[in-house]
Amino acid sequence: MGLRMRISQLFCLFFTFSELLAATVLYHFEDDTVSLPCDQLSNEHIVWQGPDNYSTYGYGEIINQKLPKSQRLSIIHVKGSRQYNLQIRHFSSEDEGNYKCVRGSSGDEFFTLTIGTYPSNLTIGEEDPQHFVYGYLNRVLDLRCTVVHGIPEWKTAVDGSQSNS
């Protein structure tokens, strides 16, 4: 019994860890309207789950009215489309966490929502004293930015590409 329990716990831990690896991480600011996309890939109803512990948020187009934040939630479905997007209005810290779109036999889609913060002490190396940067037609413009803090944290953004710090 003890060995069976440990294997079960290990499997559960592995499953949770693998879920998090496959999650799309999204950053939004407080009071944003957030939309999490989900395509219905079969004839089965979509079920949206979220914090805490994957509570049921909605089924098909219907929001669970027992949730304290149900008035801020909607499932947006455009007739004729296969999208059932979970919309969260006035995003706040109580909305941070893991979300799941359950599509039955078609597999689940995972999201992690986090509150982003604007960078502080942003500087652009090529700016003039009035904080302008000048570009010239048919010439490469190389911008180098530095920030002290922000979520998500990025080291550089050159030519539109980003690298994690």
Side-chain angles (χ1 to χ4, degrees):
M1 181 69 175
L3 180 59
R4 186 174 297 167
M5 182 67 133
R6 287 188 189 131
I7 290 172
S8 171
Q9 289 170 335
L10 182 61
F11 177 74
C12 187
L13 178 64
F14 173 76
F15 181 70
T16 302
F17 183 70
S18 63
E19 275 180 18
L20 295 175
L21 287 178
T24 301
V25 179
L26 300 171
Y27 298 91
H28 285 273
F29 297 106
E30 289 195 79
D31 211 35
D32 277 357
T33 296
V34 176
S35 185
L36 301 179
C38 186
D39 287 327
Q40 181 185 30
L41 301 177
S42 69
N43 289 332
E44 300 173 72
H45 282 284
I46 297 290
V47 177
W48 273 105
Q49 298 174 335
D52 290 323
N53 299 318
Y54 290 118
S55 301
T56 298
Y57 274 42
Y59 177 80
E61 297 178 59
I62 301 166
I63 289 294
N64 178 0
Q65 295 301 313
K66 294 180 182 174
L67 293 171
K69 55 183 156 189
S70 65
Q71 298 305 310
R72 298 189 299 111
L73 303 174
S74 302
I75 296 177
I76 307 298
H77 171 67
V78 177
K79 297 294 182 206
S81 79
R82 300 183 74 72
Q83 289 245 308
Y84 287 82
N85 301 338
L86 177 65
Q87 184 182 76
I88 305 166
R89 291 176 300 285
H90 305 291
F91 180 66
S92 70
S93 60
E94 75 178 56
D95 301 313
E96 284 187 296
N98 299 315
Y99 291 79
K100 178 170 35 173
C101 169
V102 180
R103 298 185 285 207
S105 60
S106 301
D108 301 338
E109 192 160 354
F110 298 90
F111 300 90
T112 300
L113 283 180
T114 303
I115 291 183
T117 58
Y118 291 104
S120 60
N121 297 335
L122 173 68
T123 58
I124 299 175
E126 295 78 16
E127 68 185 357
D128 68 11
Q130 288 78 33
H131 305 290
F132 286 100
V133 175
Y134 297 94
Y136 298 97
L137 189 60
N138 297 321
R139 294 175 88 184
V140 174
L141 177 62
D142 184 22
L143 292 176
R144 298 186 191 278
C145 304
T146 59
V147 296
V148 172
H149 180 266
I151 298 175
E153 292 185 19
W154 294 100
K155 192 182 278 182
T156 58
V158 178
D159 297 331
S161 62
Q162 298 175 329
S163 65
N164 237 342
S165 48

